[in-house]
Amino acid sequence: MLRSKKKEERRKAQGGVSGKFGNSGKGALGEKEGAETLSKESLVKFAEDVYDLDQQVYHAVGSDLGRVFGSDRKRSIRVIMNAVEHGSDHIIRSEVALIGNMARTISDDDVRREIMGRYDEIMTRMDRILTGNYDVGILNQQQASMDLLN
């Protein structure tokens, strides 16, 4: 609890919004260039587009392996939204990458080109939406100095 409060104070001091959906309705995106405001509507649209891409890839591949989001539309969209809202957006990034990998196996060039175009659009939007959610700088300078890659 104390750690969360410190993170929130740092975000406020850096000019960010506390929490994914602060009082202003903006996400914790900071003021990075290219970052998209994370409103409830944009999150719903993003989740719907990810679900639709998954469905389109599944039908185009014609595989029996199944879909990434196998639940019904409403539940899958809620899962995507909850992951983003509760800090598990890395899972959505992985799932969208998996959809992209499956799309690359589509044998029809025209269909693959169309789907990969949609995939690229979703990846671009995902980067704009999710950029900076956790960018709070170095929290522990001593631990960072011990990192051999620094």
Short mmCIF file of all heavy atoms in Angstrom, two decimals, residues 14-46:
data_model
loop_
_atom_site.label_atom_id
_atom_site.label_comp_id
_atom_site.label_asym_id
_atom_site.label_seq_id
_atom_site.Cartn_x
_atom_site.Cartn_y
_atom_site.Cartn_z
N GLN A 14 5.61 14.35 -11.39
CA GLN A 14 6.11 14.40 -12.76
C GLN A 14 5.06 14.92 -13.73
O GLN A 14 5.28 14.95 -14.92
CB GLN A 14 6.56 13.01 -13.20
CG GLN A 14 7.76 12.52 -12.45
CD GLN A 14 8.12 11.08 -12.80
OE1 GLN A 14 7.35 10.39 -13.47
NE2 GLN A 14 9.25 10.64 -12.34
N GLY A 15 3.89 15.26 -13.24
CA GLY A 15 2.85 15.81 -14.09
C GLY A 15 1.93 14.77 -14.68
O GLY A 15 1.11 15.07 -15.53
N GLY A 16 2.05 13.51 -14.25
CA GLY A 16 1.20 12.44 -14.76
C GLY A 16 -0.12 12.39 -14.01
O GLY A 16 -0.36 13.14 -13.07
N VAL A 17 -0.95 11.49 -14.44
CA VAL A 17 -2.25 11.29 -13.81
C VAL A 17 -2.15 10.04 -12.98
O VAL A 17 -1.61 9.03 -13.42
CB VAL A 17 -3.35 11.12 -14.88
CG1 VAL A 17 -4.69 10.87 -14.24
CG2 VAL A 17 -3.41 12.35 -15.75
N SER A 18 -2.66 10.04 -11.75
CA SER A 18 -2.58 8.85 -10.93
C SER A 18 -3.62 7.83 -11.36
O SER A 18 -4.75 8.19 -11.65
CB SER A 18 -2.79 9.21 -9.45
OG SER A 18 -4.07 9.74 -9.28
N GLY A 19 -3.20 6.59 -11.44
CA GLY A 19 -4.11 5.51 -11.82
C GLY A 19 -4.33 5.49 -13.32
O GLY A 19 -4.00 6.42 -14.03
N LYS A 20 -4.88 4.38 -13.82
CA LYS A 20 -5.14 4.26 -15.25
C LYS A 20 -6.22 5.24 -15.68
O LYS A 20 -6.17 5.81 -16.74
CB LYS A 20 -5.60 2.84 -15.59
CG LYS A 20 -4.57 1.81 -15.35
CD LYS A 20 -3.64 1.74 -16.49
CE LYS A 20 -2.73 0.57 -16.27
NZ LYS A 20 -1.69 0.45 -17.18
N PHE A 21 -7.23 5.41 -14.86
CA PHE A 21 -8.30 6.35 -15.16
C PHE A 21 -8.39 7.32 -13.99
O PHE A 21 -8.99 7.04 -12.98
CB PHE A 21 -9.64 5.62 -15.33
CG PHE A 21 -9.66 4.73 -16.52
CD1 PHE A 21 -9.43 3.38 -16.40
CD2 PHE A 21 -9.89 5.25 -17.78
CE1 PHE A 21 -9.44 2.56 -17.50
CE2 PHE A 21 -9.89 4.43 -18.89
CZ PHE A 21 -9.67 3.09 -18.75
N GLY A 22 -7.71 8.46 -14.15
CA GLY A 22 -7.71 9.46 -13.10
C GLY A 22 -9.02 10.23 -13.10
O GLY A 22 -9.93 9.97 -13.87
N ASN A 23 -9.10 11.23 -12.25
CA ASN A 23 -10.31 12.03 -12.14
C ASN A 23 -10.66 12.74 -13.43
O ASN A 23 -11.80 13.01 -13.71
CB ASN A 23 -10.16 13.06 -11.01
CG ASN A 23 -10.08 12.39 -9.66
OD1 ASN A 23 -10.57 11.28 -9.49
ND2 ASN A 23 -9.45 13.04 -8.71
N SER A 24 -9.63 13.03 -14.23
CA SER A 24 -9.89 13.76 -15.47
C SER A 24 -10.35 12.83 -16.58
O SER A 24 -10.66 13.29 -17.67
CB SER A 24 -8.63 14.49 -15.91
OG SER A 24 -7.64 13.54 -16.25
N GLY A 25 -10.34 11.52 -16.35
CA GLY A 25 -10.72 10.57 -17.37
C GLY A 25 -9.57 10.21 -18.29
O GLY A 25 -9.72 9.46 -19.22
N LYS A 26 -8.38 10.73 -18.01
CA LYS A 26 -7.22 10.41 -18.82
C LYS A 26 -6.49 9.26 -18.16
O LYS A 26 -6.48 9.11 -16.96
CB LYS A 26 -6.28 11.62 -18.91
CG LYS A 26 -6.87 12.77 -19.68
CD LYS A 26 -5.87 13.89 -19.77
CE LYS A 26 -6.45 15.05 -20.54
NZ LYS A 26 -5.52 16.16 -20.62
N GLY A 27 -5.82 8.47 -18.98
CA GLY A 27 -5.02 7.37 -18.46
C GLY A 27 -3.70 7.89 -17.94
O GLY A 27 -3.34 9.05 -18.09
N ALA A 28 -2.95 7.01 -17.31
CA ALA A 28 -1.65 7.36 -16.75
C ALA A 28 -0.61 7.36 -17.86
O ALA A 28 0.36 6.65 -17.82
CB ALA A 28 -1.27 6.38 -15.65
N LEU A 29 -0.84 8.16 -18.88
CA LEU A 29 0.03 8.16 -20.03
C LEU A 29 1.08 9.24 -19.97
O LEU A 29 1.93 9.32 -20.82
CB LEU A 29 -0.81 8.35 -21.32
CG LEU A 29 -1.84 7.28 -21.57
CD1 LEU A 29 -2.69 7.66 -22.76
CD2 LEU A 29 -1.20 5.94 -21.80
N GLY A 30 1.04 10.08 -18.95
CA GLY A 30 1.97 11.19 -18.91
C GLY A 30 1.72 12.11 -20.08
O GLY A 30 0.66 12.11 -20.67
N GLU A 31 2.70 12.85 -20.45
CA GLU A 31 2.54 13.78 -21.57
C GLU A 31 3.50 13.42 -22.69
O GLU A 31 4.04 14.29 -23.36
CB GLU A 31 2.78 15.22 -21.08
CG GLU A 31 1.77 15.69 -20.07
CD GLU A 31 0.34 15.66 -20.57
OE1 GLU A 31 0.10 15.98 -21.75
OE2 GLU A 31 -0.54 15.31 -19.79
N LYS A 32 3.76 12.14 -22.90
CA LYS A 32 4.67 11.72 -23.95
C LYS A 32 4.09 12.05 -25.30
O LYS A 32 2.90 11.91 -25.52
CB LYS A 32 4.95 10.22 -23.86
CG LYS A 32 5.80 9.86 -22.69
CD LYS A 32 6.24 8.45 -22.81
CE LYS A 32 7.23 8.16 -21.71
NZ LYS A 32 7.95 6.96 -21.94
N GLU A 33 4.97 12.44 -26.21
CA GLU A 33 4.54 12.75 -27.56
C GLU A 33 4.00 11.49 -28.22
O GLU A 33 4.58 10.42 -28.13
CB GLU A 33 5.71 13.29 -28.36
CG GLU A 33 5.30 13.83 -29.71
CD GLU A 33 6.44 14.52 -30.39
OE1 GLU A 33 7.23 15.19 -29.71
OE2 GLU A 33 6.53 14.38 -31.62
N GLY A 34 2.85 11.60 -28.87
CA GLY A 34 2.26 10.47 -29.56
C GLY A 34 1.37 9.62 -28.68
O GLY A 34 0.71 8.72 -29.16
N ALA A 35 1.36 9.87 -27.37
CA ALA A 35 0.52 9.07 -26.48
C ALA A 35 -0.93 9.45 -26.67
O ALA A 35 -1.27 10.61 -26.85
CB ALA A 35 0.93 9.29 -25.02
N GLU A 36 -1.78 8.45 -26.68
CA GLU A 36 -3.21 8.66 -26.88
C GLU A 36 -3.89 8.66 -25.52
O GLU A 36 -3.55 7.89 -24.64
CB GLU A 36 -3.73 7.50 -27.72
CG GLU A 36 -5.15 7.63 -28.19
CD GLU A 36 -5.53 6.50 -29.13
OE1 GLU A 36 -4.92 6.37 -30.19
OE2 GLU A 36 -6.45 5.74 -28.76
N THR A 37 -4.86 9.55 -25.33
CA THR A 37 -5.60 9.58 -24.09
C THR A 37 -6.38 8.29 -23.96
O THR A 37 -7.07 7.86 -24.88
CB THR A 37 -6.57 10.78 -24.08
OG1 THR A 37 -5.81 11.97 -24.21
CG2 THR A 37 -7.37 10.82 -22.80
N LEU A 38 -6.26 7.66 -22.82
CA LEU A 38 -6.91 6.37 -22.58
C LEU A 38 -8.26 6.61 -21.94
O LEU A 38 -8.40 6.62 -20.74
CB LEU A 38 -6.03 5.49 -21.70
CG LEU A 38 -6.50 4.06 -21.49
CD1 LEU A 38 -6.62 3.34 -22.82
CD2 LEU A 38 -5.56 3.33 -20.58
N SER A 39 -9.27 6.82 -22.78
CA SER A 39 -10.63 6.97 -22.28
C SER A 39 -11.30 5.61 -22.30
O SER A 39 -10.81 4.67 -22.93
CB SER A 39 -11.41 7.96 -23.15
OG SER A 39 -11.60 7.40 -24.44
N LYS A 40 -12.40 5.52 -21.62
CA LYS A 40 -13.15 4.27 -21.60
C LYS A 40 -13.57 3.88 -23.02
O LYS A 40 -13.48 2.71 -23.40
CB LYS A 40 -14.38 4.43 -20.69
CG LYS A 40 -15.06 3.16 -20.32
CD LYS A 40 -14.24 2.40 -19.31
CE LYS A 40 -15.09 1.34 -18.63
NZ LYS A 40 -14.32 0.56 -17.70
N GLU A 41 -13.98 4.87 -23.81
CA GLU A 41 -14.43 4.60 -25.18
C GLU A 41 -13.29 4.08 -26.05
O GLU A 41 -13.47 3.15 -26.83
CB GLU A 41 -15.05 5.86 -25.81
CG GLU A 41 -16.34 6.32 -25.16
CD GLU A 41 -16.09 7.10 -23.86
OE1 GLU A 41 -15.00 7.67 -23.67
OE2 GLU A 41 -17.00 7.11 -23.02
N SER A 42 -12.10 4.70 -25.92
CA SER A 42 -10.97 4.25 -26.75
C SER A 42 -10.51 2.87 -26.32
O SER A 42 -10.09 2.07 -27.16
CB SER A 42 -9.82 5.25 -26.70
OG SER A 42 -9.24 5.31 -25.43
N LEU A 43 -10.61 2.55 -25.04
CA LEU A 43 -10.25 1.22 -24.56
C LEU A 43 -11.22 0.17 -25.08
O LEU A 43 -10.81 -0.91 -25.51
CB LEU A 43 -10.18 1.20 -23.04
CG LEU A 43 -9.74 -0.12 -22.40
CD1 LEU A 43 -8.40 -0.58 -22.95
CD2 LEU A 43 -9.69 0.03 -20.90
N VAL A 44 -12.52 0.48 -25.07
CA VAL A 44 -13.52 -0.45 -25.60
C VAL A 44 -13.28 -0.69 -27.08
O VAL A 44 -13.27 -1.84 -27.55
CB VAL A 44 -14.96 0.08 -25.36
CG1 VAL A 44 -15.98 -0.74 -26.14
CG2 VAL A 44 -15.30 0.09 -23.89
N LYS A 45 -13.04 0.37 -27.84
CA LYS A 45 -12.80 0.25 -29.28
C LYS A 45 -11.55 -0.58 -29.54
O LYS A 45 -11.52 -1.44 -30.43
CB LYS A 45 -12.67 1.65 -29.90
CG LYS A 45 -12.35 1.65 -31.37
CD LYS A 45 -13.50 1.14 -32.20
CE LYS A 45 -13.18 1.33 -33.68
NZ LYS A 45 -13.49 0.17 -34.47
N PHE A 46 -10.49 -0.34 -28.78
CA PHE A 46 -9.26 -1.10 -28.92
C PHE A 46 -9.51 -2.59 -28.65
O PHE A 46 -9.10 -3.45 -29.42
CB PHE A 46 -8.19 -0.56 -27.97
CG PHE A 46 -6.96 -1.42 -27.89
CD1 PHE A 46 -6.06 -1.45 -28.94
CD2 PHE A 46 -6.72 -2.20 -26.78
CE1 PHE A 46 -4.93 -2.24 -28.88
CE2 PHE A 46 -5.60 -3.00 -26.71
CZ PHE A 46 -4.70 -3.03 -27.76
#
